[in-house]
């Protein structure tokens, strides 16, 4: 099916909703003008639209295969991967010192947005490598950096994250993989890991695994976990490849979607000859991994948005092409394109509004990340860091939930054709479904939001955000045009309601009833997401209404999307609010046998 | 995975929510006591639990295959099918004259509920045959009945419905298949049909297709369509099988789910030797088919509920078994079963409450059908007919949307394991996704609800229902217990809001703005469904609270589920209300190129 990188939308959302100017204003980059952004997006769009997107259905149909411990992808994906590395797309936001281009992470996220949308099965693998690069940049030794970073930044070598074990999924405190000093500064790694995305493949000549494991006599729980770099092939001092390390793929999962992406079971040191080196300090592995996981969570939210974008574009094209029925009250004459039917338009608007709202949240999240890391003003940096922390679980949780809804609507627009695999509509739902699960289930995200994030400064992070939303709502209401006023009113009401629920959540701990907050955590995350989405779409509508130049019709579309969201989707925040405050009694414990019917 | 027919829930919902007593009170049956119902459900439960459920994953993995025009199911399904026919399960609600058992359709629906839940891929085929039986009973000639009905009632022969063609899906007015008089009282059928569930298979020795086609010189549009009986094998006068008829399977669809169910492309009369006989009057085929389709729509709603039930039971079992993490604030010690976590319980409660609410709507729908057809009191019958009409699009549309949500939550409870196919969790989502599409997409259901159903008596059908909901809410509020009062208050508020939105919908036509209603139709159907679900769960809770005898713990569970729904799910009706009244401007037409980004 058709896919085209939505450059115009991406740029509008980046500039007028997500506030990319704040990144420019850090002064950390000489030139981040719109021309540069356009050039980057259009260039990556060529790779996405012309190389990756045409392979998306093959990714699903052919998938990865495992034989004798070797994972193989169909050859066309090795070719596509080499075009990705040749374009330097993985190196965008890394230091020039290691061959990178030193651009903002936000721009790298936009690039990922294009690539994820074109072919998630291949491009989800890219962020494993960039994630590993980030971890090594932050915590690697000079030698590790020297030996590994340049080739990982270029994409010549790949990286992975090895956290989960069969008994340790959401709860990593019970990791059992062991690391014993080998006496030569290295460690012998022994254990089994599961759910390792791109844990083994033939895209690159080496794969650099970051592995969580326990040192002998390490403390129990999360504070006894260290991080190790365990390459598939050892690296000689001159940077050339040495012997094969004893890390083996023992199985790949047969999954609902993302068939190209090999989800591996890895065995480390089955023959006691697996060696790795320590990354960061002893027993700080989980803490260090989490820094990287926060970026990964934004990536997952972005993946969800991008796949939903692809689903939307396919559905939109189909709705313009497929004729069926006539307009209301018309009894004869030719059939009309189904986009003429209000209910079909409702479905398309829903997909579009949810996707753009989620995209704006993810972009704003990464803008905050860049500002936090690069603003010379400490207070600006601190506030941005808070915003990054607040939005991360929302980017991941809200975007993935809404993408499931959008891709399912995509099937619905296709009608019966949506249920047959040939159209590709169903693949989007299958591919995106994992985004609600990996990098911490959405339940974990919700607990992070109401626990750790609302816990910072007694809800300050959320109150600051809500204050901005209310200001934005006031500006919309003061604008004097019907659409903007209506958007502003809905937004103001929901912002105030969110403030009240936030207070209830913050105070739940004080009442000694943390379980009340836990029971409503997911509903609160959804509520927060709906309000945030309305906020960003509203910002975009306000800007669109004020723009003198440019494409007026396009600006009218931006307003229509924001208005649709305010009327049709933002009200869901109210329903979430009731659920969020229902308290522990709402999920009271019952003998499961009584529920089983 | 585990599946057990939820006999206790089914009986509780049937008696205390769906009002099965009204069927008993028609006096049309001598014995419909609880013992009979229990006996039927427990007996079908044996077939469902022990024979069908163990085959459910094989249905997905093996599926149907087509070779040289012959569709084959794996042999274990032919064996299971013969157990279904030997038990006489397809004959339950048909006349004794044709070998049936003359029981209410409601009871047949409960039986379907058990079978759908166990293995939807096989059992969805059962209702094609019963649907065809209904059509022949209502419109067949004496000869057709004599030759066909007994063997179709027993299940020895199967039946199908042939409506769609490539250009005629939601809009059947443009059907092109032709029927020409052959001069011997028969008709030559020529044309191509698509989406024919169980259109070809090897479960039975004959398949009796009901086919919509046009006579020569028939009027254009829906009033020029006639119905024909086109058997795979002609039937001799003595009832034995004659020659093969020229109806051939030219393809089966490669679908997201329901892999066992062959979705066929059928070619009629490619060699001009396909003969059929007229069913009902000329040019009344679509009208007659629709009578049958209404029953089929309830069946589809039921299918969705039943698959969601299976998904719920699997998720519940997994959540009791899988250990991960600890209770809030507990830092060490063994991991707990994930059902101990409030957020996981929230997911399970959501699945359970949505499934039971939908089940009650479907059951109540069929109760109304039985009363409409069997009450000796004309006014009672008339009101029941109205209720049946009103609830049918809700049974189909609401149940299927909520089942998509429930089965997706089922994946979420399993975490990463939910994304691998081996656990079976993903299959439920894939299998159920079609329920929102076939037998009229949910958009079509919504238009039926706000158009035809609200159009009857200026909204009378809905107002009558809402009056009952308000009475029920009053009774709940007057009950004096915390849970019931809370449920009653939520229900009363949402009933009043539904009344207001209904008025807005009814008056939209009067304002000359039918498009306003069309734009909000789907949101209105959802709103209606949420309120109806809350109504039935509330009725059940009220009964449970008042029951002196029986299992008190079970009754407490019924109340807890209703309370959960009132707090967490019923509020969504409010969000739907805003969307329902947003009007045509909410889906204003935009140049699609502006939406494409």
């Amino acid at each position: 099916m058709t896919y085209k990188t939505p450059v115009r939308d991406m740029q509008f959302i980046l500039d007028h909703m997500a506030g990319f100017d704040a990144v420019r204003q850090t002064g950390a980059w000489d030139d981040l003008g719109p021309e540069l952004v356009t050039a980057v997006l259009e260039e990556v769009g060529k790779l996405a639209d012309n190389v990756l997107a045409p392979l998306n259905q093959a990714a699903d149909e052919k998938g990865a295969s495992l034989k004798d411990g070797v994972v193989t992808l169909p050859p066309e994906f090795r070719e596509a991967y080499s075009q990705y590395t040749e374009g330097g797309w993985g190196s965008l936001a890394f230091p020039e010192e290691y061959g990178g281009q030193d651009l903002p992470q936000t721009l790298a996220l936009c690039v990922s947005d294009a690539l994820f949308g074109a072919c998630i099965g291949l491009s989800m693998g890219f962020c494993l490598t960039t994630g590993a690069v980030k971890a090594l940049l932050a915590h690697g030794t000079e030698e590790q950096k020297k030996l590994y970073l340049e080739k990982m930044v270029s994409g010549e070598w790949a990286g992975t994250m090895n956290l989960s074990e069969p008994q340790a999924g959401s709860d990593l405190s019970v990791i059992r993989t062991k690391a014993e000093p080998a006496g030569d500064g290295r460690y012998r790694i022994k254990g089994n890991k599961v759910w390792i995305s791109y844990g083994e493949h033939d895209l690159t000549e080496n794969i650099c695994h970051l592995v969580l494991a326990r040192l002998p006599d390490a403390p129990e729980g999360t504070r006894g976990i260290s991080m190790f770099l365990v390459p598939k092939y050892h690296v000689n001092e001159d940077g050339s490849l040495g012997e094969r390390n004893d890390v083996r793929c023992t199985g790949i999962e047969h999954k609902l979607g993302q068939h190209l992406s090999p989800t591996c079971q890895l065995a480390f040191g089955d023959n006691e000859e697996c060696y790795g080196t320590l990354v960061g300090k002893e027993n700080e592995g989980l803490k260090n991994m989490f820094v990287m996981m926060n970026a990964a969570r934004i990536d997952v939210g972005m993946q969800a948005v991008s796949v939903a974008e692809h689903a939307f574009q396919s559905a939109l094209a189909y709705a313009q092409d497929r004729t069926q029925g006539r307009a209301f009250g018309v009894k004869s004459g030719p059939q009309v394109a189904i986009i003429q039917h209000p209910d079909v338009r409702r479905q398309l608007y829903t997909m579009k509004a949810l996707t753009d709202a989620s995209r704006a949240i993810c972009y704003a999240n990464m803008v905050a990340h860049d500002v936090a890391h690069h603003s010379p003003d400490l207070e600006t940096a601190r506030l941005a860091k808070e915003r990054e922390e607040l939005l991360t679980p929302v980017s991941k949780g809200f975007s993935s939930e809404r993408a499931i809804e959008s891709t399912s609507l995509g099937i619905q627009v296709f009608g019966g054709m949506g249920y047959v695999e040939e159209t590709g509509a169903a693949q989007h739902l299958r591919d995106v479904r994992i985004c609600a699960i990996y990098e911490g289930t959405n339940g974990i995200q919700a607990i992070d939001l109401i626990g750790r994030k609302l816990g910072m400064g007694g809800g300050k992070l959320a109150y600051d955000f809500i204050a901005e939303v209310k200001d934005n709502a006031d500006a919309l209401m003061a604008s004097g045009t019907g659409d903007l006023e209506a958007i502003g009113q809905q937004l103001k009401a929901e912002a105030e309601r969110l403030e009240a629920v936030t207070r209830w959540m913050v105070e739940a701990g004080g009442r000694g009833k943390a379980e009340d907050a836990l029971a409503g955590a997911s509903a609160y995350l959804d509520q927060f997401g709906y309000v945030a989405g309305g906020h960003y779409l509203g910002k975009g509508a306000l800007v669109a209404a004020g723009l003198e130049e440019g494409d007026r019709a396009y600006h009218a579309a931006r307003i229509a999307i924001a208005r649709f969201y305010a009327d049709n989707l933002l009200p869901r925040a109210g329903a979430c609010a009731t659920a969020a405050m229902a308290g522990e009694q709402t999920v009271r414990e019952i003998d499961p046998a009584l529920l089983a019917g």
Side-chain angles (χ1 to χ4, degrees), chain A:
Chain A
M1 294 303 302
T2 174
Y3 170 81
K4 194 176 162 306
T5 299
V7 172
R8 180 167 56 176
D9 282 356
M10 289 165 73
Q11 193 141 15
F12 187 91
I13 290 168
L14 187 64
D15 279 330
H16 301 310
M17 301 189 203
F20 188 61
D21 265 346
V23 179
R24 296 186 175 111
Q25 284 159 15
T26 61
W29 292 274
D30 291 335
D31 174 23
L32 288 180
E35 297 75 16
L36 173 83
V37 175
T38 308
V40 169
L41 295 181
E42 288 186 346
E43 195 60 28
V44 76
K46 289 178 196 163
L47 175 67
D49 305 356
N50 304 330
V51 179
L52 265 57
L55 295 176
N56 194 42
Q57 280 190 268
D60 187 61
E61 288 160 11
K62 299 182 180 175
S65 53
L66 168 69
K67 196 179 171 190
D68 300 331
V70 177
V71 174
T72 313
L73 305 191
E76 57 265 43
F77 292 94
R78 292 203 292 280
E79 168 59 24
Y81 184 79
S82 70
Q83 294 200 37
Y84 164 79
T85 56
E86 280 161 22
W89 292 111
S91 72
L92 218 66
F94 294 126
E96 287 182 13
E97 179 183 359
Y98 301 108
Q101 302 173 56
D102 245 339
L103 285 164
Q105 290 290 345
T106 306
L107 218 51
L109 186 72
C110 296
V111 163
S112 295
D113 188 359
L115 301 173
F116 291 151
C119 181
I120 185 67
L122 181 64
S123 55
M124 80 78 66
F126 303 160
C127 35
L128 278 313
T129 303
T130 54
V133 168
K134 287 174 194 170
L136 288 178
L137 275 172
H139 306 291
T141 63
E142 280 313 306
E143 189 178 352
Q144 285 168 337
K145 290 180 182 172
K146 187 168 72 68
L147 280 182
Y148 289 91
L149 273 182
E150 196 168 324
K151 291 197 169 155
M152 291 174 74
V153 165
S154 72
E156 194 176 335
W157 295 351
T160 73
M161 296 202 277
N162 285 249
L163 290 75
S164 298
E165 299 174 8
Q167 79 293 351
S170 292
D171 178 7
L172 293 170
S173 71
V174 292
I175 279 177
R176 289 183 197 145
T177 296
K178 286 180 191 161
E180 295 202 352
D184 59 356
R186 299 187 302 170
Y187 295 79
R188 270 198 197 87
I189 310 293
K190 192 167 176 57
N192 292 290
K193 294 288 181 179
V194 294
W195 309 124
I196 311 308
S197 297
Y198 277 90
E200 168 61 17
H201 58 78
D202 61 347
L203 292 179
T204 57
E205 57 183 13
N206 204 5
I207 303 175
C208 310
H209 304 288
L210 293 178
V211 182
L212 295 185
R214 291 186 182 282
L215 291 166
D217 307 318
E220 274 196 14
T222 54
R223 287 176 190 163
I225 297 171
S226 305
M227 193 197 296
F228 298 88
L229 172 59
V230 184
K232 178 176 170 183
Y233 286 95
H234 291 294
V235 179
N236 300 319
E237 282 186 18
D238 64 356
S240 63
L241 291 188
E243 287 185 10
R244 182 75 159 83
N245 205 356
D246 183 26
V247 45
R248 308 284 167 182
C249 177
T250 56
I252 61 175
E253 307 295 345
H254 172 218
K255 307 193 302 293
L256 173 63
Q258 294 212 15
H259 294 162
L260 188 76
S261 162
T263 304
C264 300
Q265 298 152 22
L266 293 185
F268 293 84
D270 257 8
N271 308 307
E272 298 200 21
E273 287 168 1
C274 180
Y275 294 95
T277 50
L278 183 69
V279 179
K281 291 185 183 160
E282 292 186 359
N283 298 329
E284 293 190 358
L286 195 60
K287 193 188 75 177
N288 293 341
M289 189 70 92
F290 257 97
V291 171
M292 196 168 98
M293 271 182 72
N294 276 331
R297 286 174 175 182
I298 305 175
D299 273 341
V300 171
M302 193 77 256
Q303 290 173 10
V305 170
S306 311
V307 175
E309 169 73 36
H310 195 150
F312 168 72
Q313 291 188 21
S314 299
L316 181 67
Y318 185 78
Q320 293 173 257
D321 185 56
R322 167 73 174 168
T323 60
Q324 196 69 184
R326 301 180 184 90
F328 180 77
V330 178
K331 297 287 182 199
S332 64
Q335 295 187 314
V336 301
I338 61 172
I339 197 172
Q340 296 297 319
H341 300 305
D343 190 67
V344 173
R345 280 212 300 283
R346 174 194 60 81
Q347 295 175 56
L348 293 167
Y349 264 107
T350 302
M351 295 175 77
K352 179 68 178 167
L354 289 177
T355 302
D356 279 358
S358 302
R359 174 174 277 132
I361 293 170
C362 293
Y363 283 10
N365 199 160
M366 203 60 103
V367 162
H369 172 92
D370 276 327
V371 174
H373 285 74
H374 294 282
S375 176
D377 180 66
L378 289 183
E379 177 67 4
T380 303
R382 195 181 59 76
L383 287 170
K385 180 70 191 158
E386 290 183 352
R387 180 60 47 89
E388 180 193 3
E389 293 274 359
L390 177 72
L391 289 184
T392 299
V394 183
S395 293
K396 199 277 186 184
F398 181 76
S399 299
S400 58
E401 293 293 336
R402 300 293 81 72
I404 292 170
E405 177 178 354
S406 280
T407 54
S408 185
L409 273 173
I411 294 175
Q412 196 70 17
V413 171
F414 275 85
M417 293 303 295
Y419 200 61
V420 302
E421 292 286 3
E422 282 80 354
T423 56
Q427 184 190 341
H428 298 306
L429 173 60
R430 292 190 290 98
D431 282 350
V432 92
R433 183 63 188 80
I434 190 60
C435 293
I437 297 171
Y438 62 14
E439 292 302 336
T441 65
N442 286 357
I444 299 284
Q445 304 303 320
I447 292 167
D448 177 56
L449 179 62
I450 60 112
R452 223 168 64 78
K453 304 306 165 62
L454 289 192
M456 296 162 82
K460 173 183 180 294
L461 278 54
Y463 294 136
D464 284 356
F465 182 77
I466 293 166
E468 273 178 43
V469 178
K470 290 203 282 190
D471 287 347
N472 181 32
D474 287 339
L476 283 157
M477 285 193 286
S479 67
T481 81
D483 280 327
L484 300 191
E485 274 186 66
I487 296 166
Q489 278 164 15
Q490 287 274 8
L491 188 58
K492 185 69 175 277
E494 292 304 341
E496 285 169 352
R497 205 196 311 258
L498 181 63
E499 195 168 26
V501 179
T502 302
R503 192 167 301 119
W504 186 93
M505 281 283 164
V506 170
E507 290 170 359
R511 291 193 300 275
K513 291 284 287 177
E515 286 82 0
D516 277 349
L518 289 168
S522 284
Y524 179 75
L525 187 149
D526 273 344
Q527 182 190 8
F528 197 102
Y530 280 118
V531 174
H535 169 60
Y536 291 117
L537 288 178
K539 279 183 80 160
L542 195 56
V543 171
L547 285 176
E548 291 293 326
E549 62 208 305
D551 186 337
R552 280 186 187 280
Y554 178 68
H555 294 154
R558 298 307 324 170
I559 294 169
I561 294 162
R563 177 71 195 269
F564 177 87
Y565 185 96
D567 286 350
N568 293 274
L569 302 168
L570 185 51
R572 296 181 186 178
C576 295
T578 311
M581 297 191 294
E584 194 196 8
Q585 63 87 18
T586 208
V587 292
R588 64 186 74 163
E589 287 189 54
I590 298 180
D591 176 0
L594 299 172
L595 290 177

